[in-house]
Amino acid sequence: MRLVLQIRFCLICICKYNTTVLTIILLIIVQIARGRVPTVFTGSPFLAWPAANWTPSYLATTVPFVLTKRSSKSIFKYFSKNKPLAAVVEVSKDYTEVIKSGREFITSITTASEENFYYASGPAEQLDLPSDVAETDSLTVHDLGNSSSTGTVNFWIGSRSVTAHMHYDTSHNFHAVVYGRKRFLLMPPSANQELKLYPCIHPYYRQAKTQLQRPVLCKKLSCILVTLSISLPIGSTR
């Protein structure tokens, strides 16, 4: 089982620090952003969130229900039925959706076979654990040039081998791995033409027509492979 929280924002300001330390932190983040390379942070403020200690057994007993995706394929391609071309192109979502209780969902995730893959994602509020993810006062979030903007916290939970189809995000984000392991395959903007991205009016918007699996193609596009991992036995905390 893999559980990831994603915090979307451009800059983070850690309010509990004094002005000098805050300035240094912002300068470091700006330099990292300009470097345009993936970066792994340790000692994140996220570690103070109760959500940092989530385990499968905890979620099974506290989450009321989860909208669960099931597929016979390990690679999930998101389908947006609200896009203009959704009723025209001959494509459809290759997964089914069903509402499961927290316990049923965790059981499906932890006992999934090679023929059934399970996955859930969405705003963290859907898990109905406000006290676990609501501690955002220590993070003041701003998009560059827009001081009124805020960030969002999303969750991803998937069974072993579940993979998101090749895609890009429309915002900067941080990923916090809570349980299990998550591997990222990152590509530079120059890979755009080779990936053949779907247009914004297509139900597969933001996703690639090409799913990179061949090492030769990956090397050609100068891909970067990043793995973030945490190994915990079920029912334990850290």
Side-chain angles (χ1 to χ4, degrees):
M1 173 182 165
R2 178 175 55 218
L3 170 58
V4 177
L5 289 183
Q6 181 190 63
I7 303 94
R8 295 177 179 271
F9 47 10
C10 287
L11 292 179
I12 60 173
C13 306
I14 305 175
C15 302
K16 63 182 179 181
Y17 294 145
N18 62 40
T19 304
T20 301
V21 174
L22 178 58
T23 301
I24 293 174
I25 291 174
L26 289 177
L27 288 174
I28 292 174
I29 293 175
V30 169
Q31 289 301 315
I32 291 172
R34 287 175 176 172
R36 302 178 67 83
V37 295
T39 304
V40 177
F41 292 89
T42 59
S44 166
F46 166 75
L47 296 176
W49 293 14
N53 296 309
W54 281 355
T55 63
S57 59
Y58 172 75
L59 295 178
T61 56
T62 55
V63 174
F65 61 86
V66 181
L67 180 60
T68 308
K69 299 179 178 66
R70 188 198 69 80
S71 177
S72 59
K73 302 176 182 179
S74 62
I75 299 176
F76 282 74
K77 181 183 287 187
Y78 179 71
F79 180 87
S80 177
K81 63 181 180 180
N82 297 322
K83 292 298 181 180
L85 291 182
V88 179
V89 295
E90 295 183 356
V91 299
S92 62
K93 60 182 181 182
D94 53 6
Y95 54 84
T96 59
E97 293 181 294
V98 61
I99 295 177
K100 291 178 175 283
S101 68
R103 187 172 297 280
E104 290 173 333
F105 173 66
I106 294 300
T107 298
S108 297
I109 290 289
T110 55
T111 62
S113 65
E114 291 300 317
E115 299 176 351
N116 290 289
F117 298 90
Y118 297 90
Y119 175 66
S121 65
E125 293 83 359
Q126 291 182 4
L127 298 179
D128 198 22
L129 298 172
S131 61
D132 287 4
V133 296
E135 178 46 49
T136 56
D137 291 341
S138 61
L139 297 177
T140 300
V141 180
H142 298 295
D143 282 334
L144 293 177
N146 183 3
S147 60
S148 64
S149 63
T150 58
T152 60
V153 179
N154 299 318
F155 75 91
W156 279 261
I157 308 177
S159 54
R160 183 184 297 273
S161 300
V162 164
T163 304
H165 190 86
M166 190 67 63
H167 68 282
Y168 70 88
D169 288 343
T170 56
S171 62
H172 297 287
N173 51 69
F174 286 91
H175 285 262
V177 180
V178 179
Y179 191 97
R181 183 178 67 177
K182 183 175 179 69
R183 188 177 71 165
F184 296 83
L185 182 61
L186 306 176
M187 285 147 295
S190 57
N192 175 52
Q193 294 299 319
E194 190 71 31
L195 292 176
K196 301 178 176 62
L197 299 170
Y198 286 99
C200 63
I201 59 175
H202 196 280
Y204 289 158
Y205 169 51
R206 295 196 298 107
Q207 297 170 102
K209 297 179 182 179
T210 302
Q211 178 66 19
L212 289 186
Q213 293 178 322
R214 293 177 295 159
V216 174
L217 183 56
C218 183
K219 183 177 181 180
K220 175 182 177 182
L221 297 178
S222 302
C223 299
I224 302 173
L225 187 63
V226 179
T227 299
L228 301 182
S229 63
I230 292 177
S231 298
L232 293 173
I234 292 178
S236 68
T237 59
R238 63 185 177 92

